[in-house]
């Protein structure tokens, strides 16, 4: 082991009071992640000006694009944070750099898989794309996924920065990407001066190009002299054990969004049994989760770094105390938001629709499900803490429990009992409670002093 003096950021995560340190680390993450949500809404506005076919085409690609974002940022990016922080907590900067390099290699392979699998016309035809809708879908997907390496690279490098305790650099990369995209996207979509309009492909080109610029900036920042992890300053040599350490956590971490998205897709499908108005109402009501996720992810990324650093330094008791502190913080914030939504659901619904029936239906959903949003936040926070501890079996199991509750409970409501929509809403609420409580019990009972997955 090449032991080196611990950096000030690592020392803070190991020794300073837990809650103030957690809050200081989480704040930049939350800001950066809210910036990312701005991009989603802005792209919808810009593409919508091209017409309904363009909007429909990009909408078909969006689930795959979001899946890639979740896998690259939360899955591999979070794994990289944990691996780097654990090595630095143990005082092994060379190992931290080696793991960062191997995480980048894994990300590039994953981006290649998306480039091969997500650019096939047959995939979007199977999703119902025809004619102009298919043309727009392929124009967007072919550019986005062909340049996917840029997105995976910036998210892995952001994970490296967080692992060193430099949350601000990771956040500035996300904010910078958003700022560039707000300028470049309309120019590439509609054209300007000598720049020809690219249509929907222009929106994807802006996403890829802006991520590439920020990836280069992050790489240069991380590789400066004096930095604890310098990916360009250490020779790149393949090590089987380094790949194993990354993949042992990255694979289950990346499976988690697949399971979560399946739960959402099943819920949407079951909502369809109650008519299009119910689906529309659910779509609006569930948008509230887009506010909860950046909060949970922002605190969670800090949790991953702090827990992993303390695990690397053999401070398992402090690591678990950090996990519970962060989980309580996210539970409190998301729980309050959920309770406010349950008490005054019309205030949220009226932001998006003036149709009384949709607003009433969505309000009924929020009255039941909103009360359980705290469990959703709790589960997300403990997922990131488990990532830092290198123990991903239970988070995967908890997500599977959530999916099972939705699948079985929804099927019974719709196909067996012919129950009213409120019964399905109760199933969704129960699934969120099952997620949070299962993972809480597992975290309480598990021994973090034993061997981790990585």
């Amino acid at each position: 082991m090449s032991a080196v003096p611990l950096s000030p950021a690592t020392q803070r995560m190991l020794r300073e009071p837990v809650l103030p340190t957690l809050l200081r680390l989480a704040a930049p993450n939350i800001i950066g992640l809210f910036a990312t949500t701005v991009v989603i809404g802005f792209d919808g506005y810009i593409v919508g000006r091209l017409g309904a076919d363009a909007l429909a085409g990009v909408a078909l690609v969006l689930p795959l694009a979001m899946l890639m974002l979740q896998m690259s940022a939360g899955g591999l990016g979070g794994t990289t944070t944990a691996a780097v922080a654990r090595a630095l907590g143990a005082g092994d900067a060379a190992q931290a750099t080696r793991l960062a390099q191997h995480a980048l290699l894994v990300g590039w392979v994953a981006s290649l898989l998306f480039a091969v699998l997500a650019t096939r016309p047959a995939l979007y035809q199977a999703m119902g794309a025809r004619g102009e809708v298919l043309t727009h879908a392929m124009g967007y997907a072919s550019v986005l996924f062909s340049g996917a390496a840029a997105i995976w690279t910036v998210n892995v490098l952001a994970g490296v920065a967080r692992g060193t305790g430099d949350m601000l650099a990771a956040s500035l990369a996300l904010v910078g990407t958003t700022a560039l995209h707000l300028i470049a996207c309309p120019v590439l979509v509609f054209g300007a001066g000598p720049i020809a309009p690219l249509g929907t492909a222009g929106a994807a080109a802006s996403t890829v190009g802006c991520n590439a610029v920020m990836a280069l900036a992050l790489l240069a920042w991380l590789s400066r002299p004096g930095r604890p992890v310098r990916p360009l300053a250490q020779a790149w040599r393949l090590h089987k054990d380094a790949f194993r350490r990354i993949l042992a956590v990255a694979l289950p971490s990346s499976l988690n969004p697949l399971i979560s998205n399946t739960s959402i897709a099943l819920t949407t499908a079951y909502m369809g049994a109650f008519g299009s108005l119910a689906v529309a109402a659910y779509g609006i009501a569930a948008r509230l989760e887009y506010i909860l996720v950046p909060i949970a992810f922002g605190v969670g990324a800090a949790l991953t770094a702090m827990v992993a650093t303390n695990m690397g330094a053999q401070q398992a008791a402090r690591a678990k105390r950090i996990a519970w502190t962060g989980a309580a913080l996210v539970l409190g914030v998301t729980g309050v938001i959920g309770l406010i939504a349950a008490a005054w659901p019309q205030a949220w619904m009226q932001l998006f629709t003036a149709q009384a029936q949709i607003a009433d239906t969505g309000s009924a959903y929020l009255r039941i499900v909103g009360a359980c949003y705290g469990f959703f936040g709790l589960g997300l926070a403990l997922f990131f803490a488990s990532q830092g501890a290198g123990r991903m079996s239970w988070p995967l199991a908890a997500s599977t429990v959530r999916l099972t509750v939705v699948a079985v409970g929804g099927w019974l409501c719709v196909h067996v009992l012919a129950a009213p929509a409120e019964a399905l809403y109760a199933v969704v609420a129960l699934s969120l409670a099952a997620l949070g409580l299962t993972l809480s019990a597992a975290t309480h009972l598990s021994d973090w002093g034993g061997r981790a997955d990585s």
Side-chain angles (χ1 to χ4, degrees), residues 41-61:
F42 183 73
D43 278 6
Y45 168 73
I46 293 296
V47 171
R49 293 178 63 187
L50 295 174
D53 287 343
L55 196 59
V58 173
L60 288 174
V61 182

Side-chain angles (χ1 to χ4, degrees), residues 290-314:
Y290 288 121
I291 293 177
L292 305 182
V293 169
I295 294 170
F297 194 108
V299 177
L303 269 179
T304 300
M306 288 186 69
V307 168
T309 301
N310 281 271
M311 292 294 286
Q314 306 300 312

Side-chain angles (χ1 to χ4, degrees), residues 96-110:
T97 299
R98 187 158 50 248
L99 290 168
Q101 292 171 337
H102 283 70
L104 282 168
L105 293 173
V106 171
W108 293 335
V109 171

Side-chain angles (χ1 to χ4, degrees), residues 268-360:
T268 305
Y270 287 137
M271 289 292 176
F274 299 98
S276 59
L277 289 179
V279 174
Y282 167 68
I284 293 172
R287 282 176 182 266
L288 186 56
E289 295 176 18
Y290 288 121
I291 293 177
L292 305 182
V293 169
I295 294 170
F297 194 108
V299 177
L303 269 179
T304 300
M306 288 186 69
V307 168
T309 301
N310 281 271
M311 292 294 286
Q314 306 300 312
Q315 296 182 171
R318 176 177 165 88
K320 188 167 277 195
R321 187 165 70 253
I322 291 167
W324 285 121
T325 301
L329 176 62
V330 176
L331 170 64
V333 175
T334 57
V336 167
I337 293 173
L339 290 174
I340 291 172
W344 297 283
Q346 287 283 352
W348 175 260
M349 296 300 299
Q350 288 170 359
L351 292 174
F352 300 94
T353 182
Q355 295 188 39
Q357 190 172 352
I358 293 178
D360 290 343

Side-chain angles (χ1 to χ4, degrees), residues 20-186:
T21 304
L22 185 62
L23 290 172
R24 187 166 54 246
L25 292 174
N29 290 330
I30 295 172
I31 294 170
L33 288 159
F34 271 119
T36 301
T37 64
V38 170
V39 171
I40 298 171
F42 183 73
D43 278 6
Y45 168 73
I46 293 296
V47 171
R49 293 178 63 187
L50 295 174
D53 287 343
L55 196 59
V58 173
L60 288 174
V61 182
L62 188 60
L64 288 172
M66 292 303 296
L67 178 62
M68 182 174 72
L69 180 63
Q70 291 168 348
M71 293 177 73
S72 60
L76 184 56
T79 296
T80 305
T81 296
V84 167
R86 201 174 299 127
L88 291 178
D92 194 345
Q95 173 75 334
T97 299
R98 187 158 50 248
L99 290 168
Q101 292 171 337
H102 283 70
L104 282 168
L105 293 173
V106 171
W108 293 335
V109 171
S111 70
L112 181 61
L113 290 176
F114 270 91
V116 171
L117 299 176
T119 56
R120 297 181 178 276
L123 175 62
Y124 302 103
Q125 289 172 333
M127 297 169 70
R130 300 289 186 274
E132 285 299 309
V133 173
L134 178 61
T135 300
H136 286 295
M138 287 306 304
Y140 187 81
S142 59
V143 174
L144 181 70
F145 295 116
S146 294
I151 297 169
W152 284 83
T153 300
V154 78
N155 283 323
V156 171
L157 290 174
V160 174
R162 293 186 184 107
T164 67
D166 192 352
M167 305 293 170
L168 184 59
S171 177
L172 287 176
L174 294 177
V175 172
T177 300
T178 299
L180 287 176
H181 184 69
L182 294 180
I183 297 170
C185 182

